[in-house]
């Protein structure tokens, strides 16, 4: 029970950090975590795709290493507007870059 409560507290802190965190970063970047999250997701998906495709040769490994990050990026890009609209309908004052950060944290 205590572990579950700690997990929920961590989630609450995570969402509070994203929703209420600093809104400006270096170079006008609104959320400095966003680019790092995308880089980690692309690197991890490429490695996973290469391992998945490696069972049948290096060409399939390369193809999967390119395809899997693209699939995740395109899917996330298509769902971002819907997630932002959903947050607005629920009355959550989240700007689009915060919704993007939440989306890429989940990937």
């Amino acid at each position: 029970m205590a572990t579950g409560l700690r997990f929920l507290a961590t989630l609450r802190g995570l969402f509070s950090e994203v929703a209420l965190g600093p809104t400006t970063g270096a170079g006008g970047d609104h959320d400095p975590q966003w680019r790092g999250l995308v880089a980690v997701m692309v690197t991890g998906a490429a490695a996973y795709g290469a391992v998945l495709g490696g069972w049948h040769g290096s060409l399939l490994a390369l193809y999967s290493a390119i395809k899997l990050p693209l699939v995740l990026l395109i899917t996330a890009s298509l769902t971002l507007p819907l997630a932002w609209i959903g947050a607005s309908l629920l009355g959550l004052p989240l700007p689009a870059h915060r919704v993007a950060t939440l989306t890429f944290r989940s990937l």
Side-chain angles (χ1 to χ4, degrees), residues 41 45 64 66-78 107:
M41 189 273 304
S64 297
I66 293 170
K67 182 182 83 167
L68 192 57
L70 287 175
V71 166
L72 291 175
L73 284 173
I74 290 169
T75 303
S77 298
L78 292 174
L107 291 176

Side-chain angles (χ1 to χ4, degrees):
M1 183 73 167
T3 303
L5 291 176
R6 276 193 307 235
F7 178 72
L8 290 175
T10 302
L11 284 178
R12 180 177 292 176
L14 172 71
F15 291 125
S16 295
E17 174 190 334
V18 171
L20 304 173
T23 57
T24 57
D29 190 11
H30 289 288
D31 200 345
Q33 292 179 340
W34 190 82
R35 289 182 188 192
L37 291 170
V38 172
V40 167
M41 189 273 304
V42 167
T43 304
Y48 186 69
V51 169
L52 271 167
W55 69 273
H56 195 54
S58 59
L59 188 59
L60 185 61
L62 177 66
Y63 173 74
S64 297
I66 293 170
K67 182 182 83 167
L68 192 57
L70 287 175
V71 166
L72 291 175
L73 284 173
I74 290 169
T75 303
S77 298
L78 292 174
T79 60
L80 279 174
L82 296 174
W84 180 74
I85 290 170
S88 297
L89 290 175
L90 290 172
L92 300 171
L94 294 175
H97 66 274
R98 298 272 187 226
V99 174
T101 301
L102 287 171
T103 300
F104 283 106
R105 276 193 177 190
S106 67
L107 291 176

